[in-house]
Amino acid sequence: MARRRERRVEPSQERRKERVGTATREDKFSDSDASDRKLISIFVVFFIVIPAISVLVYSIKNGSGTKRFEPVVTERGLIKTDISYQEILAENLKIPENASQRHYDYPVLAYITPWNSRGYEIANRFSSKFTHLSPVWYDLKSQGSSLVLDGRHNADKGWLSELRMKGDALVLPRVVLEAFPTKLLKKKKQRDKAIDLIVTECKEMDYDGIVLESWSRWAAYGVLHDPDMRNMALKFIKQLGYALHSVRSARNPEQKLQLVYVIGPPHSEKLQQHDFGPEDLQSLSDAVDGFSLMTYDFSGPNNPGPNAPIQWIRFTLQLLLGPPGNNAQSLAPKIFLGINFYGNDFVLSGGSGGAAVIGRDYLSLLEKHRPLIQWEKNSGEHFFVYSDDNNVRHAVFYPSLMSIYLRLEEARSWGTGISIWEIGQGLDFFFGLL
């Protein structure tokens, strides 16, 4: 989630380049409808062999504890695979029904970015749908031999005040740890300084804690390949978590400040040394209140396809939580399963490339091209193919009610919560599902 994650709408961010699988491009998106419907098979064939029986057994044993109430969109028959662009455009014009009732009782963490003000509006309108809100405001950076926590200028106190009058969602701003990791982790003075900066900011701004992102950056620096440095990294996270837990919330004295930690999915079939795994989950479980799992960005410009194949999500959860009976599965309630509210527009011919698609972009494409929207059952996502003004073919993957519903139910079956990146990028009627 560090800078890599912000690439969905923030300029100059890189896409994830490593993937669990490879695929060719033009082969998957031919002009015929039949081949269009099969384009995802190349991406997900590796995951079809996931031990589905284990997932089913776990779901039966553990999935019944989370309540679910039928959303209005379900009653109206809008959650389906055979949708048309006309239905999406028409639904977007309606005022969302039931903006307050929650349909799932598990935790919902929603990210908000300062470069997309719509997220602030959504957080206020649907405040009761969220248990945790994480505005993307802070970076902890090296400055000479010292450290600085940059980002208070992003904090919107007026929005915070209005939000807190409407609901009880915890506000945990995201902090990206950009400080040089070797100096930070090896020097006690730097570690103590970093923790003091974060805890002090929470006190002064009346936050309920923070969401910390550092693992992907540490992996990029090679820190996690060194066993000693890896242990230091885990110790730092624990130290920060315990420091936050030692402080009571200004809004609710009975509640301690919380730490949610961002973790990424594995990059291969088996966990590598730099991947966050079940042992790490157990090691940090006392110090960390939740883990924001980035189960999206499966595909990229060089291997266009679905944003987060459902089989891949199951595979990731099983790697992290283990088979039924594994001790790590007791920690499933601490997982915030990542769901993307953004999409991607990939170039299929005439060169490579792609761009993130948010709600307004998606609606514009539907209005202009009036495409045939297709369902790919293996990935559990909708997509469409179109040709631009230069006759260059594109494939667009963007969430639908059906794709989101499947992932909400997946979280319920595993006993996890969800995290959404990010709420300003979705369509208003998505929130009727939460």
Side-chain angles (χ1 to χ4, degrees), residues 367-432:
E367 290 173 348
K368 180 177 181 179
H369 299 285
R370 302 180 179 182
L372 172 66
I373 298 178
Q374 302 177 66
W375 175 254
E376 212 299 311
K377 64 180 181 179
N378 287 328
S379 64
E381 294 191 21
H382 278 105
F383 72 97
F384 65 83
V385 177
Y386 76 94
S387 295
D388 63 21
D389 295 338
N390 296 316
N391 204 32
V392 175
R393 287 170 58 76
H394 296 244
V396 175
F397 293 81
Y398 187 80
S400 63
L401 288 175
M402 186 65 184
S403 70
I404 295 171
Y405 178 77
L406 287 179
R407 285 147 183 80
L408 294 175
E409 285 293 291
E410 193 69 28
R412 185 179 68 86
S413 71
W414 283 87
T416 71
I418 65 164
S419 58
I420 302 170
W421 185 276
E422 52 96 355
I423 56 175
Q425 298 172 351
L427 300 175
D428 285 4
F429 59 83
F430 287 176
F431 298 94

Side-chain angles (χ1 to χ4, degrees), residues 44-75:
V44 299
V45 66
F46 187 72
F47 300 104
I48 298 301
V49 295
I50 295 171
I53 295 177
S54 296
V55 175
L56 178 61
V57 170
Y58 177 77
S59 300
I60 293 173
K61 292 178 64 178
N62 300 284
S64 59
T66 302
K67 298 177 184 178
R68 184 176 68 81
F69 306 97
E70 290 297 327
V72 173
V73 288
T74 302
E75 298 170 0

Side-chain angles (χ1 to χ4, degrees), residues 59-359:
S59 300
I60 293 173
K61 292 178 64 178
N62 300 284
S64 59
T66 302
K67 298 177 184 178
R68 184 176 68 81
F69 306 97
E70 290 297 327
V72 173
V73 288
T74 302
E75 298 170 0
R76 288 162 48 196
L78 296 174
I79 301 176
K80 57 183 182 178
T81 58
D82 57 331
I83 59 172
S84 67
Y85 77 88
Q86 296 99 325
E87 289 176 294
I88 295 172
L89 293 175
E91 189 63 24
N92 184 65
L93 295 175
K94 298 176 182 178
I95 298 175
E97 299 181 52
N98 191 12
S100 59
Q101 183 181 8
R102 296 188 66 208
H103 303 298
Y104 296 88
D105 63 2
Y106 51 57
V108 177
L109 166 66
Y111 288 98
I112 303 160
T113 56
W115 55 89
N116 186 359
S117 61
R118 187 170 176 273
Y120 295 108
E121 299 168 10
I122 292 294
N124 275 329
R125 285 175 59 195
F126 300 98
S127 58
S128 63
K129 299 278 189 178
F130 313 115
T131 58
H132 302 66
L133 290 166
S134 183
V136 178
W137 285 344
Y138 291 94
D139 300 292
L140 197 148
K141 303 177 179 179
S142 296
Q143 189 176 73
S145 60
S146 187
L147 297 169
V148 293
L149 184 61
D150 182 42
R152 184 179 286 197
H153 62 280
N154 289 320
D156 189 329
K157 293 184 178 180
W159 171 76
L160 282 170
S161 178
E162 183 180 356
L163 178 74
R164 285 167 171 167
M165 288 190 294
K166 290 187 174 182
D168 299 321
L170 302 179
V171 177
L172 291 78
R174 192 191 69 171
V175 177
V176 176
L177 210 57
E178 294 191 345
F180 298 124
T182 50
K183 291 183 179 179
L184 174 68
L185 297 176
K186 285 184 176 181
K187 296 184 178 180
K188 181 180 183 301
K189 187 176 181 180
Q190 287 242 330
R191 296 195 303 271
D192 292 344
K193 177 65 174 178
I195 292 170
D196 180 65
L197 285 171
I198 291 171
V199 173
T200 299
E201 188 72 2
C202 288
K203 290 179 179 179
E204 293 181 358
M205 296 295 288
D206 290 338
Y207 297 144
D208 299 297
I210 68 159
V211 172
L212 180 69
E213 180 167 356
S214 65
W215 197 265
S216 59
R217 186 170 178 81
W218 288 342
Y221 269 85
V223 167
L224 302 177
H225 294 80
D226 182 312
D228 292 334
M229 290 296 293
R230 199 179 195 284
N231 286 333
M232 290 180 189
L234 291 170
K235 287 181 180 178
F236 172 78
I237 299 168
K238 291 178 184 178
Q239 185 181 350
L240 174 60
Y242 293 140
L244 288 167
H245 292 170
S246 69
V247 179
R248 298 287 177 175
S249 168
R251 294 195 301 137
N252 182 2
E254 296 183 0
Q255 181 175 286
K256 301 175 182 178
L257 298 188
Q258 295 191 7
L259 173 62
V260 172
Y261 192 64
V262 179
I263 57 177
H267 294 81
S268 59
E269 180 185 4
K270 295 182 179 179
L271 288 172
Q272 304 299 309
Q273 188 176 21
H274 59 276
D275 287 327
F276 190 95
E279 295 80 8
D280 303 312
L281 188 69
Q282 292 178 311
S283 173
L284 297 178
S285 61
D286 290 336
V288 175
D289 301 281
F291 298 87
S292 183
L293 177 60
M294 299 186 293
T295 38
Y296 30 70
D297 283 358
F298 177 81
S299 303
N302 295 321
N303 59 337
N307 295 305
I310 193 71
Q311 297 278 15
W312 174 65
I313 290 174
R314 291 170 185 159
F315 173 81
T316 299
L317 285 171
Q318 186 151 344
L319 269 184
L320 186 61
L321 296 175
N326 189 291
N327 291 334
Q329 287 200 342
S330 64
L331 300 175
K334 287 197 171 190
I335 300 293
F336 292 94
L337 180 68
I339 299 179
N340 56 287
F341 269 23
Y342 66 94
N344 283 298
D345 181 342
F346 294 119
V347 175
L348 301 179
S349 60
S352 62
V357 172
I358 63 177

